[in-house]
């Protein structure tokens, strides 16, 4: 479970990006963080990854307050939380397979395990047939699916997505969502910050709505503009 308890985040320039945030996300949940630009969605994701630190409050992941863990323990946290961004930043000189394998090579996994895990991740995002391609040979949607495969290859229980369908047309965006749904069905908790109204409305999942750094709505299952 992920829990935010009375979380405040003030940046050093004095901007209060989050104010008294409280919510719970259960294991295996699929959650949308919505709200206009500047509402505080990315800040929330950055706090979860410990890319930023809270000004006040607690963030519990499986009962551990991650605002209190030492710098030395941050790599361990990141093994449990993977991230997908809007801009996918693949390595141009590596193939699809090599891009996905890279994270596991750094962790020192055996070649055999790497091959198995990478093939499984590519299968989930339906890119098995592109494994020997280079990023320059892929469409925007395919590149984004490679970055999703790269994020899930270490089998972290939590996947954070910051506008993963941001630059894509509707149909391609749904290919991304299909991959995320499959990942969620395998038990991964997904927290997705998005502006994509139609996706949120069609999915009818947990929606947390932010406005100017505050939660204005938290519904267990619903759409973007659902009334209480
Ligand atoms: P969203 O993801 O919903 O667009 P953000 O979390 O990026 O919102 O931003 C929330 C607020 O915090 C905005 O007012 C933004 O300008 C501010 N902000 C974000 N990052 C920083 C930073 N590194 N330094 C100072 N202010 C920031």
């Amino acid at each position: 479970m992920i829990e935010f308890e009375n979380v405040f985040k003030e940046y050093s320039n004095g901007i209060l990006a989050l104010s008294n945030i409280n919510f719970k996300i259960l294991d295996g949940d699929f959650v949308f963080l919505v709200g206009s630009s500047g509402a505080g969605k990315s800040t929330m994701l950055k706090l979860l990854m410990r890319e930023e630190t809270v000004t006040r409050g607690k963030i519990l992941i499986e009962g551990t307050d991650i605002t209190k863990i030492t710098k030395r323990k941050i790599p361990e946290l990141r093994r449990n939380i993977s991230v997908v961004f809007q801009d996918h930043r693949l390595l141009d000189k590596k193939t699809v397979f090599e891009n996905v394998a890279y994270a596991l090579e750094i962790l020192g996994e055996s070649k055999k395990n790497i091959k198995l895990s990478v093939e499984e991740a590519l299968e989930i995002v339906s890119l098995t047939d592109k494994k020997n391609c280079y990023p320059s040979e892929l469409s925007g949607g395919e590149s984004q699916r490679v970055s999703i495969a790269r994020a899930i290859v270490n089998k972290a229980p939590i996947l954070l997505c910051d506008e993963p369908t941001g630059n894509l047309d509707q149909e391609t965006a749904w290919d991304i969502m299909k991959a995320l749904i499959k990942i969620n069905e395998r038990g991964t908790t997904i927290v997705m910050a998005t502006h994509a109204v139609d996706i949120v409305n069609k999915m009818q999942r947990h929606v947390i709505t932010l406005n100017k750094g505050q939660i204005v709505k938290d519904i267990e299952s619903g759409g973007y503009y659902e009334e209480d």
Side-chain angles (χ1 to χ4, degrees):
M1 181 152 72
I2 301 172
E3 295 165 274
F4 273 52
E5 290 184 3
N6 309 109
V7 171
F8 289 76
K9 173 63 185 175
E10 185 179 334
Y11 284 106
S12 52
N13 57 1
I15 287 182
L16 190 59
L18 293 176
S19 176
N20 201 22
I21 298 292
N22 290 281
F23 64 84
K24 287 189 172 96
I25 293 173
L26 300 179
D27 289 347
D29 206 351
F30 197 131
V31 191
F32 292 108
L33 293 182
V34 304
S36 50
S37 185
K41 305 180 295 294
S42 301
T43 300
M44 227 178 222
L45 298 182
K46 283 178 187 158
L47 291 176
L48 269 170
M49 293 163 61
R50 268 289 295 266
E51 212 175 274
E52 290 287 351
T53 50
V54 299
T55 308
R56 188 140 49 97
K58 285 184 185 171
I59 299 175
L60 305 168
I61 297 181
E62 306 305 341
T64 300
D65 185 356
I66 63 150
T67 68
K68 297 264 169 11
I69 61 173
T70 56
K71 273 218 169 101
R72 205 167 46 89
K73 291 256 172 149
I74 292 177
E76 197 178 309
L77 170 71
R78 304 248 168 96
R79 276 201 284 281
N80 287 310
I81 300 190
S82 299
V83 196
V84 175
F85 298 101
Q86 177 171 343
D87 108 53
H88 18 78
R89 301 179 222 164
L90 298 176
L91 300 165
D92 290 341
K93 296 204 167 68
K94 288 186 186 286
T95 63
V96 165
F97 184 98
E98 290 163 349
N99 263 283
V100 179
Y102 191 58
L104 294 180
E105 282 165 5
I106 290 174
L107 292 176
E109 290 268 346
S110 72
K111 265 203 160 156
K112 192 174 150 211
N113 277 350
I114 291 176
K115 189 166 184 288
L116 280 173
S117 299
V118 173
E119 280 174 356
E120 194 184 340
L122 289 176
E123 166 90 41
I124 292 169
V125 299
S126 310
L127 277 180
T128 304
D129 56 337
K130 300 271 174 175
K131 68 178 176 183
N132 296 319
C133 292
Y134 286 89
S136 60
E137 299 169 297
L138 303 175
S139 68
E142 287 167 345
S143 302
Q144 186 59 302
R145 280 185 283 142
V146 177
S147 72
I148 292 172
R150 185 178 57 180
I152 63 166
V153 75
N154 68 348
K155 304 186 176 75
I158 300 170
L159 178 64
L160 308 179
C161 308
D162 201 353
E163 299 280 358
T165 62
N167 289 325
L168 306 170
D169 60 63
Q170 287 245 346
E171 200 185 323
T172 315
W174 276 107
D175 289 341
I176 302 292
M177 292 314 297
K178 277 183 206 150
L180 293 178
I181 290 166
K182 241 196 250 178
I183 293 162
N184 178 245
E185 279 169 354
R186 291 156 46 96
T188 305
T189 305
I190 298 189
V191 185
M192 171 169 160
T194 186
H195 282 112
V197 178
D198 62 313
I199 286 176
V200 177
N201 283 342
K202 275 207 188 107
M203 293 277 291
Q204 294 290 307
R205 299 291 182 109
H206 187 173
V207 184
I208 296 175
T209 308
L210 285 165
N211 184 27
K212 296 183 186 137
Q214 291 186 308
I215 292 184
V216 292
K217 211 175 277 179
D218 182 350
I219 45 175
E220 222 166 278
S221 100
Y224 207 104
Y225 294 118
E226 194 120 325
E227 292 301 326
D228 293 329

